[in-house]
Amino acid sequence: MGDSAYSFSLTTFSRTGKLLQIEYALNAVSNGRTALGIAAVDGVVIATDKKFGSSLVDAECVSKVEKITEGSGFVYAGVGPDYRVLVRKARKSSQAYTLEYKQPKPVTQLVKSTASVMQEYTQSGGVRPFGVSLLVAGLDEDNKPRLYQVDPSGAYFGWKATAIGKNYVNAKNFLEKRYQDDMELEDAIHTALLTLREGFEGEMNGGNIQVGVVGLDGKFRVLSESEVQDYLDEAN
C-alpha cells in the first residue's frame, strides 16, 4: 500500500512519515501569485502582484497586503479566503495582547501565534490545513527589521529576503544575487519590483502591484498606486 492510501487523511502519517495534505497545501501555495519580502537595515518591504484574469475586476476591492498591527503586515501566496481568516485571527489576537499588556504585539509574538493557529489545523479531525504561506514584516522589540515566513504546517522561518508562490525558485535566485547586508529600504523596494518583473506576464503598473513597507518609525503602510508607479518609473 503506497502513500496514496493516506492522501485523504490529515491526521494520519503515511508509511514514509509524511502528512500528504500538508504537501498538497504547499502545492496550492506554489500555484498562487508570487509574493516576496526583503529586510533592509532600516525597514522591511513586502510585495506581490494582484493581476486578475479579467479587466472587469475592480482592483480596489482586492487587497493582498494587509496591515495587522501598527507596525506589522502580512502578504500571502495561495488561497485567498484562507488568508482572510488568518488576517482576522491575527488582528484579534493582536488587540487582545494590546489590551492585556498595554503595548503593541511584537512581530515575533505575532508570528508565533499565527503559526500556532496554522499548526492546530494540521492535528485536528474534520478540518484541513490552510492553503497559504505568509510573509510577515515588522520591527522586533529591539527595533530591528524582521521578515518571517509561515507555512501551512505551522513552521516559521526568519529571512533576510525570500519569495513564495509561483516562480518562487527563480525569484529567490534573483534575490540571492541582488541582496546585500547593508541594503537600505529604498534599494529594497526597487529590488523587490525588479524581482517581481522577472516572472511577470504583461506590463507592471501601480494597479497590479501591491507593496507594503515598515520603516524604523515602526509604522507599517501599504503604498498607494501612485507611489508604486513612481518606483516603477524610476526602475525604467
Side-chain angles (χ1 to χ4, degrees):
M1 186 166 58
D3 281 357
S4 61
Y6 302 91
S7 63
F8 293 105
S9 174
L10 172 60
T11 57
T12 305
F13 284 97
S14 71
R15 289 171 181 263
T16 56
K18 297 177 181 177
L19 290 172
L20 295 178
Q21 285 295 314
I22 293 177
E23 293 194 4
Y24 299 158
L26 288 169
N27 289 341
V29 172
S30 297
N31 290 330
R33 293 287 183 183
T34 305
L36 58 89
I38 303 173
V41 294
D42 57 345
V44 186
V45 56
I46 51 177
T48 187
D49 80 73
K50 55 174 191 175
K51 188 178 178 184
F52 303 108
S54 171
S55 60
L56 300 177
V57 176
D58 185 356
E60 293 183 1
C61 296
V62 180
S63 179
K64 299 181 70 175
V65 177
E66 295 285 355
K67 182 177 180 179
I68 304 301
T69 68
E70 192 66 26
S72 62
F74 285 0
V75 69
Y76 80 99
V79 182
D82 289 13
Y83 175 61
R84 291 200 301 270
V85 173
L86 289 170
V87 166
R88 186 177 70 247
K89 287 178 178 290
R91 285 172 173 164
K92 189 173 181 179
S93 70
S94 298
Q95 288 296 312
Y97 185 98
T98 301
L99 284 171
E100 183 168 354
Y101 298 107
K102 311 304 180 189
Q103 63 181 21
K105 192 172 189 176
V107 68
T108 49
Q109 295 295 322
L110 177 62
V111 168
K112 288 177 181 178
S113 61
T114 303
S116 294
V117 170
M118 296 175 80
Q119 193 280 332
E120 285 178 18
Y121 279 72
T122 69
Q123 210 172 2
S124 306
V127 298
R128 64 162 175 80
F130 287 95
V132 292
S133 284
L134 304 175
L135 295 180
V136 185
L139 298 184
D140 217 341
E141 292 167 306
D142 58 1
N143 214 41
K144 184 175 181 180
R146 298 287 187 185
L147 173 69
Y148 291 94
Q149 176 181 339
V150 189
D151 282 341
S153 64
Y156 61 91
F157 318 90
W159 291 91
K160 295 178 180 179
T162 191
I164 54 176
K166 193 179 295 182
N167 203 39
Y168 77 95
V169 174
N170 292 334
K172 273 189 177 181
N173 290 336
F174 188 87
L175 287 169
E176 286 174 1
K177 295 174 184 175
R178 298 295 295 258
Y179 181 82
Q180 296 176 338
D181 287 332
D182 59 351
M183 180 178 281
E184 295 184 351
L185 185 57
E186 288 292 305
D187 293 331
I189 295 172
H190 284 115
T191 301
L193 294 175
L194 287 172
T195 307
L196 284 176
R197 179 172 287 163
E198 285 295 297
F200 194 84
E201 298 177 2
E203 182 181 353
M204 287 172 54
N205 57 59
N208 57 28
I209 299 294
Q210 198 165 20
V211 180
V213 297
V214 56
L216 293 180
D217 59 357
K219 305 293 184 184
F220 181 89
R221 69 187 187 92
V222 180
L223 299 188
S224 67
E225 284 191 21
S226 60
E227 287 177 301
V228 174
Q229 188 62 53
D230 288 342
Y231 280 111
L232 289 171
D233 292 341
E234 288 177 19
N236 290 330

